[in-house]
Amino acid sequence: MSEAAARPESEAPRFQPAGLSEAEARRRLAERPHAEPDTHTRSTASIVRANVLTPFNAILVVLGAITLVFGDWRDALFLGIVVANSGIGIWQELKAKRTLDSLAALVAPHATVVRDGEPRRLGVEEVVAGDLVRVQAGDQIVADGTVLAAEGLSLDESILTGESRPVVRRAGDQVLSGSFAVEGAGAYEVTAVGPDSYAERVAGVAKEFRHPRSPLERNLNRLLYVLVGVMVPLGTLLIVALVKQDIGTRQAVETAVAGIVTLVPEGLILLASLTFAASAVRLARQGALAQQLNAIESLASVDVVCLDKTGTLTEAQPRVVATVPAPGVAEEALREALARYAAASPARNLTLEAIHAELERPAEEPAASVPFSSRRRWSGLELAGTRFVLGAPELLLTGSLHETAAAEQARGRRVIAIGTAGAPFPDDPHDGPPPVEPLGIAVLAEGIRSNARDTVEYLLAEGVEVKVLSGDAPETVGSIAADVGIPLRLEPKDGRQLPDEEPLLAELARQVTVIGRIDPEGKRRVVEALTGQGFYVAMVGDGVNDVPALKASRLAIAQGSGTQMATSVADVVLLSGDFGSVPRMVAQGRQILRNVQRVAKLFVTKAVFAAFLILSIGL
């Protein structure tokens, strides 16, 4: 049994379950220096710089200055294009910024703070030093602090240290803002917030991450730099030709500037930026928050969509449809054990919430506990001298009950087994559960979302391949995938048996469409294997176990109802939590791509014609 699991909560140092009083918290908040809230979008100064300090504006300003010095000021009226382009771009992006800021508040990190003995949900800006904050898997650590109580608490501190492995934190340990809870639960006392916190000091580094540019943006940049490269020798050729004809300086300047300006596609980048911003605002009204303006257009280039099953294809909240006792065990005894376990669990997941909703019972205080982990696939509680173990059927069952569980999984049901253990829990939970005497299984069903089939059908018709990566049993995931219309070219694979060799993994990832029992690291490896083969991969997820794959994908899409960790790393957040909105986003992205490509052809045609004239005159 781990130290974190065995330590009684009362032994945690300086633990004050009542937290601060509301009056004291308000006083400390009032004394804190005022700081502008972090809106998680570009600053106004950044928007102004991006629209004013561009290579094309610089070229036009230089040409305009030359015209003003050597020619007629009326011939420099094209400088109005600089003002108009910059003004329209700034106005549009500020409008998009205001809309996105207001919507970002819906998915901004929150904290469960205890004040006057009562937990309450508060925004990060309302947390003060001395607050008692509770965390569970999926929550963000919003301020620096000291752990007062922990139940198998593990943190992902990769954004701070670069170490991808979760770090166990126990009572007395320090936690830093910017990390996330990936397993277990706990409580910590805030020691630093705002400018004093570690996250504030490293915020500049953390926000330097830039999502890869969309294919359209890369193509436009290549086109524009080619045109700028052509402009220099052609402009030089034109000036030399005019000088050799003994044309006056004023006329030569006017002619040369007029020719060179024609080569500058000053409106093309503006058009793309405006289109991205307008599309992001339009989709925001439909319930999709684009945290990267180029994310909508990226959907037009996606050819593989990897998604989790629960909460995407199926309803997030399961329900208990049956309880099957082991031979010799009364059904009432099984239901009693399930009810006690769900009520006493320190950190309930969706499965335990469903069992508790079906079998309500007053909570007991466990003498020891092993929190659930998607990697270990089991958990344990000691209640009134009885050690209960809850976990995957293949870990705990044999014989006829195991066959019953496998049959239910083949029907697309979620099955959880429970039993009692005579031996203590192991010191290292990764060693597996102790020997278990099975009590039975609980069968849970997930309803398929009403629009899941239509969404999958649309994606397949558009040439987008759909792959399901789930922690559930391969049989369960395969059954759900078949029900929504995802073709199974190969039998569903077990994520625990993924090959270590990269070439073999790449081949498997390309061919298979359903992988079950896959851990977070396995999801990331599959996404990276697909990306390495040239696929433009989008990942859709809502849980902590989806975050590594979300970060590895070219386009990360998170459910708005998902964990704070998932929504914070996503490029697009589905605020309504509706996977059915993805087809609208794909259609919007492809419309953007077609329209901008059509207009780009006009700019290219204009530039080529102008270059032909300049070259003809120069020769």
Coordinates of all heavy atoms in Angstrom, one line a residue, residues 31-115:
E31 N -6.5 43.6 -1.2 CA -5.1 44.1 -1.0 C -4.2 43.7 -2.1 O -3.1 44.3 -2.2 CB -4.6 43.6 0.4 CG -5.3 44.1 1.6 CD -4.8 43.5 2.9 OE1 -4.0 42.5 2.8 OE2 -5.2 44.0 4.0
R32 N -4.6 42.8 -2.9 CA -3.7 42.3 -4.0 C -3.6 43.4 -5.1 O -4.6 43.9 -5.5 CB -4.2 41.0 -4.5 CG -3.2 40.3 -5.4 CD -3.6 38.8 -5.6 NE -4.8 38.7 -6.5 CZ -5.5 37.6 -6.6 NH1 -5.1 36.6 -5.9 NH2 -6.5 37.6 -7.4
P33 N -2.4 43.6 -5.6 CA -2.2 44.6 -6.7 C -3.1 44.2 -7.9 O -3.2 43.0 -8.2 CB -0.7 44.6 -7.0 CG -0.1 44.0 -5.8 CD -1.1 43.1 -5.1
H34 N -3.7 45.2 -8.5 CA -4.5 45.0 -9.6 C -3.7 44.5 -10.8 O -2.6 45.0 -11.1 CB -5.3 46.2 -10.0 CG -6.1 46.1 -11.3 ND1 -7.3 45.3 -11.3 CD2 -5.9 46.5 -12.6 CE1 -7.7 45.3 -12.6 NE2 -7.0 46.1 -13.3
A35 N -4.2 43.5 -11.5 CA -3.5 43.0 -12.7 C -4.6 42.7 -13.7 O -5.7 42.2 -13.4 CB -2.7 41.7 -12.4
E36 N -4.2 42.9 -15.0 CA -5.2 42.6 -16.1 C -5.4 41.1 -16.2 O -4.4 40.4 -16.1 CB -4.6 43.2 -17.4 CG -4.6 44.7 -17.5 CD -6.0 45.3 -17.4 OE1 -6.9 44.6 -17.9 OE2 -6.2 46.3 -16.8
P37 N -6.6 40.7 -16.3 CA -6.8 39.2 -16.4 C -6.2 38.6 -17.7 O -6.1 39.3 -18.7 CB -8.4 39.1 -16.4 CG -8.8 40.4 -16.9 CD -7.8 41.4 -16.4
D38 N -5.7 37.4 -17.6 CA -5.2 36.7 -18.7 C -6.3 36.2 -19.6 O -7.1 35.4 -19.2 CB -4.3 35.6 -18.3 CG -3.6 34.9 -19.4 OD1 -3.7 35.4 -20.5 OD2 -3.0 33.8 -19.2
T39 N -6.4 36.8 -20.8 CA -7.5 36.4 -21.7 C -7.2 35.3 -22.6 O -8.1 34.8 -23.3 CB -7.9 37.6 -22.6 OG1 -6.7 38.0 -23.3 CG2 -8.3 38.8 -21.7
H40 N -5.9 34.8 -22.6 CA -5.5 33.6 -23.4 C -5.6 33.9 -24.9 O -5.7 33.0 -25.7 CB -6.3 32.4 -23.1 CG -6.2 32.0 -21.6 ND1 -5.1 31.4 -21.1 CD2 -7.1 32.2 -20.6 CE1 -5.3 31.2 -19.8 NE2 -6.5 31.7 -19.5
T41 N -5.7 35.2 -25.3 CA -5.7 35.5 -26.7 C -4.7 36.6 -26.9 O -4.1 37.1 -26.0 CB -7.1 36.1 -27.2 OG1 -7.5 37.2 -26.4 CG2 -8.2 35.0 -27.1
R42 N -4.5 37.0 -28.2 CA -3.4 38.0 -28.5 C -3.8 39.3 -27.9 O -4.9 39.7 -27.8 CB -3.3 38.1 -30.0 CG -2.9 36.9 -30.7 CD -3.0 37.1 -32.2 NE -2.2 38.1 -32.8 CZ -2.3 38.6 -34.0 NH1 -3.2 38.0 -34.8 NH2 -1.6 39.6 -34.4
S43 N -2.7 40.0 -27.5 CA -2.9 41.3 -26.9 C -3.2 42.3 -28.0 O -2.9 42.1 -29.2 CB -1.7 41.8 -26.1 OG -0.6 41.9 -27.0
T44 N -3.8 43.5 -27.6 CA -4.1 44.6 -28.6 C -2.8 45.0 -29.3 O -2.7 45.2 -30.5 CB -4.8 45.7 -27.9 OG1 -6.0 45.3 -27.3 CG2 -5.1 46.8 -28.9
A45 N -1.7 45.2 -28.5 CA -0.4 45.6 -29.1 C 0.1 44.6 -30.1 O 0.6 45.0 -31.2 CB 0.6 45.8 -28.0
S46 N -0.1 43.3 -29.8 CA 0.3 42.3 -30.8 C -0.5 42.3 -32.0 O 0.1 42.2 -33.1 CB 0.2 40.9 -30.1 OG 0.4 39.9 -31.0
I47 N -1.8 42.6 -32.0 CA -2.6 42.7 -33.1 C -2.2 43.9 -34.0 O -2.1 43.8 -35.2 CB -4.1 42.8 -32.7 CG1 -4.6 41.4 -32.1 CG2 -5.0 43.1 -33.9 CD1 -6.0 41.5 -31.6
V48 N -1.9 45.0 -33.3 CA -1.5 46.2 -34.1 C -0.2 45.9 -34.8 O 0.0 46.3 -36.0 CB -1.4 47.4 -33.1 CG1 -0.8 48.6 -33.8 CG2 -2.8 47.8 -32.6
R49 N 0.8 45.4 -34.1 CA 2.1 45.1 -34.7 C 2.0 44.1 -35.9 O 2.6 44.3 -36.9 CB 3.1 44.5 -33.6 CG 3.6 45.5 -32.6 CD 4.8 44.9 -31.9 NE 4.4 43.7 -31.2 CZ 4.0 43.6 -30.0 NH1 3.9 44.8 -29.3 NH2 3.7 42.5 -29.4
A50 N 1.2 43.1 -35.7 CA 1.0 42.1 -36.8 C 0.4 42.7 -38.0 O 0.7 42.2 -39.1 CB 0.2 40.9 -36.3
N51 N -0.5 43.7 -37.9 CA -1.1 44.2 -39.1 C -0.4 45.4 -39.7 O -0.6 45.8 -40.8 CB -2.6 44.7 -38.7 CG -3.5 43.5 -38.6 OD1 -4.0 43.0 -39.6 ND2 -3.7 43.0 -37.3
V52 N 0.5 46.1 -38.9 CA 1.2 47.2 -39.4 C 2.6 46.9 -39.9 O 3.0 47.3 -40.9 CB 1.3 48.3 -38.3 CG1 2.2 49.5 -38.7 CG2 -0.1 48.8 -37.9
L53 N 3.3 46.1 -39.1 CA 4.7 45.8 -39.4 C 4.7 44.5 -40.2 O 5.1 43.4 -39.8 CB 5.5 45.6 -38.1 CG 5.5 46.8 -37.1 CD1 6.3 46.5 -35.9 CD2 6.0 48.0 -37.8
T54 N 4.4 44.6 -41.5 CA 4.4 43.5 -42.4 C 5.4 43.9 -43.6 O 5.6 45.1 -43.9 CB 3.0 43.2 -43.0 OG1 2.6 44.4 -43.8 CG2 2.0 43.0 -41.9
P55 N 6.0 42.9 -44.2 CA 6.9 43.2 -45.4 C 6.2 44.0 -46.5 O 6.8 44.8 -47.1 CB 7.3 41.8 -45.9 CG 7.1 40.9 -44.7 CD 5.9 41.4 -44.0
F56 N 4.9 43.7 -46.7 CA 4.2 44.4 -47.8 C 3.9 45.8 -47.5 O 4.1 46.7 -48.3 CB 3.0 43.6 -48.1 CG 3.2 42.2 -48.4 CD1 3.0 41.2 -47.4 CD2 3.8 41.8 -49.6 CE1 3.3 39.9 -47.6 CE2 4.1 40.4 -49.8 CZ 3.8 39.5 -48.8
N57 N 3.6 46.1 -46.2 CA 3.4 47.5 -45.8 C 4.7 48.2 -45.9 O 4.8 49.4 -46.3 CB 2.9 47.5 -44.4 CG 1.4 47.3 -44.3 OD1 0.7 47.1 -45.3 ND2 0.8 47.2 -43.1
A58 N 5.8 47.5 -45.5 CA 7.1 48.2 -45.6 C 7.5 48.5 -47.0 O 8.0 49.6 -47.3 CB 8.2 47.2 -45.0
I59 N 7.2 47.6 -47.9 CA 7.5 47.9 -49.3 C 6.7 49.1 -49.8 O 7.3 50.0 -50.5 CB 7.2 46.7 -50.2 CG1 8.2 45.6 -49.9 CG2 7.3 47.0 -51.7 CD1 7.9 44.2 -50.5
L60 N 5.4 49.1 -49.5 CA 4.6 50.2 -50.0 C 5.0 51.5 -49.3 O 5.0 52.6 -50.0 CB 3.1 49.9 -49.7 CG 2.5 48.8 -50.5 CD1 1.0 48.5 -50.0 CD2 2.5 49.0 -52.0
V61 N 5.4 51.5 -48.1 CA 5.8 52.7 -47.4 C 7.1 53.3 -48.0 O 7.2 54.5 -48.3 CB 6.0 52.5 -45.9 CG1 6.7 53.7 -45.2 CG2 4.6 52.3 -45.2
V62 N 8.0 52.4 -48.3 CA 9.3 52.8 -49.0 C 9.0 53.4 -50.4 O 9.5 54.5 -50.7 CB 10.2 51.6 -49.1 CG1 11.4 52.0 -50.0 CG2 10.7 51.2 -47.7
L63 N 8.1 52.7 -51.2 CA 7.8 53.3 -52.5 C 7.1 54.6 -52.4 O 7.3 55.5 -53.1 CB 7.0 52.2 -53.2 CG 7.7 50.9 -53.6 CD1 6.7 50.0 -54.3 CD2 8.9 51.2 -54.5
G64 N 6.2 54.7 -51.4 CA 5.4 55.9 -51.2 C 6.4 57.1 -50.8 O 6.2 58.2 -51.2
A65 N 7.4 56.8 -49.9 CA 8.3 57.8 -49.5 C 9.1 58.3 -50.7 O 9.4 59.5 -50.9 CB 9.2 57.3 -48.4
I66 N 9.5 57.3 -51.5 CA 10.3 57.7 -52.7 C 9.4 58.6 -53.6 O 9.9 59.6 -54.2 CB 10.7 56.5 -53.5 CG1 11.8 55.7 -52.7 CG2 11.3 56.8 -54.9 CD1 12.2 54.4 -53.3
T67 N 8.2 58.3 -53.8 CA 7.3 59.1 -54.6 C 7.1 60.5 -54.1 O 7.1 61.5 -54.8 CB 5.9 58.4 -54.7 OG1 6.1 57.1 -55.3 CG2 5.0 59.2 -55.6
L68 N 7.0 60.6 -52.7 CA 6.8 61.9 -52.1 C 8.0 62.8 -52.3 O 7.9 64.0 -52.4 CB 6.4 61.7 -50.6 CG 5.0 61.1 -50.3 CD1 4.9 60.9 -48.8 CD2 3.9 62.0 -50.8
V69 N 9.2 62.1 -52.3 CA 10.4 62.9 -52.4 C 10.7 63.3 -53.8 O 11.1 64.5 -54.1 CB 11.6 62.1 -51.8 CG1 13.0 62.8 -52.1 CG2 11.5 61.8 -50.3
F70 N 10.5 62.4 -54.8 CA 10.9 62.7 -56.1 C 9.7 63.0 -57.1 O 10.0 63.5 -58.2 CB 11.7 61.5 -56.7 CG 13.0 61.3 -56.0 CD1 13.1 60.3 -55.0 CD2 14.1 62.1 -56.3 CE1 14.3 60.0 -54.4 CE2 15.3 61.8 -55.6 CZ 15.4 60.8 -54.7
G71 N 8.5 62.6 -56.7 CA 7.4 62.8 -57.6 C 6.3 63.6 -57.1 O 6.5 64.4 -56.2
D72 N 5.1 63.4 -57.6 CA 3.9 64.2 -57.2 C 3.2 63.4 -56.1 O 3.0 62.2 -56.1 CB 2.9 64.2 -58.4 CG 1.8 65.2 -58.2 OD1 1.3 65.3 -57.0 OD2 1.4 65.9 -59.2
W73 N 2.8 64.2 -55.0 CA 2.2 63.6 -53.9 C 1.0 62.8 -54.2 O 0.6 61.8 -53.6 CB 1.9 64.6 -52.8 CG 0.9 65.6 -53.2 CD1 1.1 66.8 -53.8 CD2 -0.6 65.5 -53.0 NE1 -0.1 67.4 -54.0 CE2 -1.2 66.6 -53.5 CE3 -1.4 64.5 -52.5 CZ2 -2.5 66.8 -53.5 CZ3 -2.7 64.7 -52.5 CH2 -3.3 65.8 -53.0
R74 N 0.3 63.2 -55.3 CA -0.9 62.5 -55.7 C -0.7 61.1 -56.2 O -1.5 60.3 -56.2 CB -1.7 63.3 -56.8 CG -2.3 64.6 -56.3 CD -2.8 65.5 -57.4 NE -1.7 66.0 -58.2 CZ -1.9 66.9 -59.2 NH1 -3.1 67.3 -59.5 NH2 -0.9 67.2 -60.0
D75 N 0.6 60.9 -56.7 CA 0.9 59.5 -57.1 C 1.2 58.6 -55.9 O 1.5 57.4 -56.1 CB 2.1 59.6 -58.0 CG 1.8 60.3 -59.4 OD1 0.6 60.1 -59.8 OD2 2.7 61.0 -59.9
A76 N 1.2 59.2 -54.7 CA 1.5 58.4 -53.5 C 0.2 58.0 -52.8 O 0.2 57.6 -51.6 CB 2.5 59.1 -52.6
L77 N -0.9 58.2 -53.4 CA -2.2 57.9 -52.8 C -2.4 56.4 -52.5 O -3.2 56.0 -51.7 CB -3.3 58.4 -53.6 CG -3.5 60.0 -53.7 CD1 -4.7 60.3 -54.7 CD2 -3.7 60.6 -52.4
F78 N -1.5 55.6 -53.1 CA -1.6 54.2 -52.8 C -1.2 53.9 -51.4 O -1.5 52.8 -50.9 CB -0.7 53.4 -53.8 CG 0.7 53.7 -53.7 CD1 1.5 53.1 -52.7 CD2 1.3 54.5 -54.6 CE1 2.9 53.4 -52.7 CE2 2.7 54.8 -54.5 CZ 3.5 54.2 -53.6
L79 N -0.6 54.9 -50.7 CA -0.4 54.7 -49.3 C -1.7 54.5 -48.5 O -1.6 54.0 -47.4 CB 0.4 55.9 -48.7 CG 1.9 56.0 -49.1 CD1 2.5 57.2 -48.6 CD2 2.7 54.7 -48.6
G80 N -2.8 55.0 -49.1 CA -4.0 54.8 -48.4 C -4.4 53.3 -48.3 O -5.1 52.9 -47.4
I81 N -3.8 52.5 -49.2 CA -4.0 51.0 -49.0 C -3.3 50.5 -47.7 O -3.9 49.6 -47.1 CB -3.3 50.3 -50.2 CG1 -4.0 50.7 -51.5 CG2 -3.4 48.8 -50.1 CD1 -3.4 50.2 -52.8
V82 N -2.2 51.1 -47.4 CA -1.5 50.7 -46.1 C -2.4 51.0 -44.9 O -2.7 50.1 -44.0 CB -0.2 51.4 -46.0 CG1 0.4 51.0 -44.6 CG2 0.8 51.0 -47.1
V83 N -3.0 52.2 -44.9 CA -3.9 52.6 -43.8 C -5.1 51.8 -43.8 O -5.5 51.3 -42.8 CB -4.2 54.1 -44.0 CG1 -5.2 54.5 -42.8 CG2 -2.9 54.9 -43.9
A84 N -5.7 51.5 -45.0 CA -7.0 50.8 -45.0 C -6.7 49.3 -44.7 O -7.5 48.8 -43.9 CB -7.6 50.9 -46.5
N85 N -5.7 48.7 -45.2 CA -5.4 47.3 -44.9 C -5.2 47.1 -43.4 O -5.7 46.2 -42.8 CB -4.2 46.8 -45.7 CG -4.6 46.6 -47.1 OD1 -5.7 46.7 -47.5 ND2 -3.5 46.2 -47.9
S86 N -4.3 48.0 -42.9 CA -4.0 47.9 -41.4 C -5.2 48.1 -40.6 O -5.5 47.4 -39.6 CB -2.8 48.8 -41.1 OG -1.7 48.5 -41.8
G87 N -6.0 49.2 -40.9 CA -7.1 49.5 -40.1 C -8.2 48.4 -40.1 O -8.7 48.1 -39.1
I88 N -8.5 47.9 -41.3 CA -9.5 46.8 -41.4 C -9.0 45.6 -40.7 O -9.8 45.0 -39.9 CB -9.8 46.5 -42.9 CG1 -10.5 47.7 -43.5 CG2 -10.7 45.3 -43.0 CD1 -10.7 47.6 -45.0
G89 N -7.7 45.2 -40.8 CA -7.2 44.0 -40.2 C -7.3 44.2 -38.6 O -7.7 43.3 -37.9
I90 N -6.9 45.4 -38.2 CA -6.9 45.6 -36.7 C -8.3 45.6 -36.2 O -8.6 44.9 -35.2 CB -6.2 46.9 -36.4 CG1 -4.7 46.9 -36.7 CG2 -6.5 47.3 -34.9 CD1 -4.0 48.2 -36.6
W91 N -9.2 46.2 -36.9 CA -10.6 46.3 -36.4 C -11.2 44.9 -36.4 O -11.9 44.5 -35.4 CB -11.4 47.2 -37.4 CG -12.9 47.1 -37.0 CD1 -13.6 47.8 -36.1 CD2 -13.9 46.3 -37.7 NE1 -14.9 47.5 -36.1 CE2 -15.1 46.6 -37.1 CE3 -13.9 45.4 -38.7 CZ2 -16.3 46.0 -37.4 CZ3 -15.1 44.8 -39.1 CH2 -16.3 45.1 -38.5
Q92 N -11.0 44.1 -37.4 CA -11.6 42.8 -37.5 C -11.0 41.8 -36.4 O -11.7 41.1 -35.8 CB -11.4 42.2 -38.9 CG -12.0 40.8 -39.1 CD -13.5 40.8 -39.0 OE1 -14.1 41.7 -39.5 NE2 -14.1 39.9 -38.2
E93 N -9.7 41.9 -36.2 CA -9.1 41.0 -35.3 C -9.5 41.4 -33.8 O -9.6 40.6 -33.0 CB -7.6 40.9 -35.5 CG -7.2 40.2 -36.7 CD -5.8 39.7 -36.7 OE1 -5.2 39.5 -35.6 OE2 -5.2 39.5 -37.8
L94 N -9.6 42.7 -33.6 CA -10.0 43.1 -32.3 C -11.5 42.7 -32.0 O -11.8 42.3 -30.9 CB -9.9 44.7 -32.1 CG -8.5 45.2 -32.0 CD1 -8.6 46.8 -31.9 CD2 -7.8 44.7 -30.7
K95 N -12.3 42.7 -33.0 CA -13.7 42.2 -32.9 C -13.7 40.8 -32.6 O -14.4 40.3 -31.7 CB -14.5 42.5 -34.2 CG -15.9 42.1 -34.1 CD -16.6 42.4 -35.5 CE -18.0 41.8 -35.5 NZ -18.7 42.1 -36.8
A96 N -12.9 40.0 -33.3 CA -12.8 38.6 -33.0 C -12.2 38.3 -31.7 O -12.6 37.4 -30.9 CB -11.9 37.9 -34.1
K97 N -11.2 39.1 -31.2 CA -10.6 39.0 -29.9 C -11.7 39.2 -28.8 O -11.7 38.4 -27.9 CB -9.5 40.0 -29.7 CG -9.0 40.1 -28.3 CD -7.9 41.2 -28.2 CE -7.6 41.5 -26.8 NZ -7.1 40.4 -26.0
R98 N -12.5 40.2 -29.0 CA -13.6 40.4 -27.9 C -14.5 39.2 -27.9 O -14.9 38.8 -26.8 CB -14.3 41.7 -28.2 CG -13.5 43.0 -27.9 CD -14.4 44.2 -28.0 NE -15.0 44.4 -29.3 CZ -14.4 45.1 -30.2 NH1 -13.2 45.7 -30.0 NH2 -15.0 45.3 -31.4
T99 N -14.9 38.7 -29.0 CA -15.8 37.6 -29.0 C -15.2 36.3 -28.4 O -15.8 35.6 -27.6 CB -16.3 37.3 -30.5 OG1 -16.9 38.4 -31.0 CG2 -17.3 36.1 -30.5
L100 N -13.9 36.1 -28.8 CA -13.2 34.9 -28.3 C -12.9 35.0 -26.8 O -13.0 34.0 -26.1 CB -11.9 34.7 -29.1 CG -12.1 34.3 -30.6 CD1 -10.8 34.3 -31.3 CD2 -12.8 33.0 -30.8
D101 N -12.6 36.2 -26.4 CA -12.4 36.4 -24.9 C -13.6 36.1 -24.1 O -13.5 35.5 -23.1 CB -11.9 37.8 -24.7 CG -10.5 38.1 -25.1 OD1 -9.8 37.1 -25.3 OD2 -10.0 39.2 -25.1
S102 N -14.8 36.6 -24.6 CA -16.0 36.3 -23.9 C -16.3 34.8 -23.8 O -16.8 34.3 -22.8 CB -17.1 37.1 -24.5 OG -17.4 36.7 -25.8
L103 N -16.1 34.1 -24.9 CA -16.3 32.7 -25.0 C -15.3 31.9 -24.2 O -15.6 30.8 -23.7 CB -16.4 32.2 -26.4 CG -17.7 32.7 -27.2 CD1 -17.5 32.4 -28.7 CD2 -18.9 32.0 -26.6
A104 N -14.0 32.4 -24.2 CA -13.0 31.7 -23.5 C -13.2 31.6 -22.0 O -12.8 30.7 -21.3 CB -11.6 32.4 -23.8
A105 N -14.0 32.5 -21.5 CA -14.4 32.5 -20.1 C -15.1 31.2 -19.7 O -15.1 30.8 -18.6 CB -15.2 33.7 -19.7
L106 N -15.8 30.7 -20.7 CA -16.6 29.5 -20.5 C -15.8 28.3 -20.2 O -16.2 27.3 -19.6 CB -17.6 29.2 -21.6 CG -18.6 30.3 -21.9 CD1 -19.4 29.9 -23.2 CD2 -19.5 30.5 -20.8
V107 N -14.5 28.3 -20.8 CA -13.7 27.1 -20.6 C -12.4 27.5 -19.8 O -11.4 26.7 -19.8 CB -13.2 26.5 -22.0 CG1 -14.4 25.9 -22.7 CG2 -12.6 27.6 -22.8
A108 N -12.4 28.7 -19.2 CA -11.2 29.1 -18.4 C -11.1 28.2 -17.2 O -12.1 27.7 -16.6 CB -11.4 30.6 -18.0
P109 N -9.9 28.0 -16.7 CA -9.7 27.1 -15.5 C -10.4 27.7 -14.3 O -10.4 28.9 -14.1 CB -8.2 27.2 -15.3 CG -7.6 27.5 -16.7 CD -8.6 28.4 -17.3
H110 N -11.0 26.8 -13.5 CA -11.6 27.2 -12.3 C -11.0 26.4 -11.1 O -10.3 25.4 -11.4 CB -13.1 27.0 -12.3 CG -13.8 28.0 -13.2 ND1 -13.7 28.1 -14.5 CD2 -14.7 29.0 -12.8 CE1 -14.4 29.1 -15.0 NE2 -15.0 29.7 -14.0
A111 N -11.3 26.7 -10.0 CA -10.7 26.0 -8.8 C -11.9 25.8 -7.8 O -12.8 26.6 -7.6 CB -9.6 26.8 -8.1
T112 N -11.8 24.6 -7.2 CA -12.8 24.3 -6.1 C -12.1 24.7 -4.8 O -11.2 24.1 -4.3 CB -13.1 22.8 -6.1 OG1 -13.6 22.4 -7.3 CG2 -14.1 22.5 -5.0
V113 N -12.6 25.9 -4.2 CA -12.0 26.5 -3.1 C -12.9 26.3 -1.9 O -14.1 26.5 -2.0 CB -11.7 28.0 -3.3 CG1 -11.2 28.6 -2.1 CG2 -10.8 28.2 -4.5
V114 N -12.3 25.9 -0.7 CA -13.1 25.8 0.5 C -13.1 27.0 1.3 O -12.0 27.5 1.7 CB -12.6 24.6 1.3 CG1 -13.4 24.4 2.6 CG2 -12.7 23.3 0.5
R115 N -14.2 27.7 1.6 CA -14.3 28.8 2.4 C -15.5 28.7 3.4 O -16.6 28.3 3.0 CB -14.5 30.1 1.5 CG -13.3 30.5 0.7 CD -13.5 31.7 -0.1 NE -12.3 32.1 -0.8 CZ -12.2 33.0 -1.8 NH1 -13.3 33.7 -2.1 NH2 -11.1 33.2 -2.5

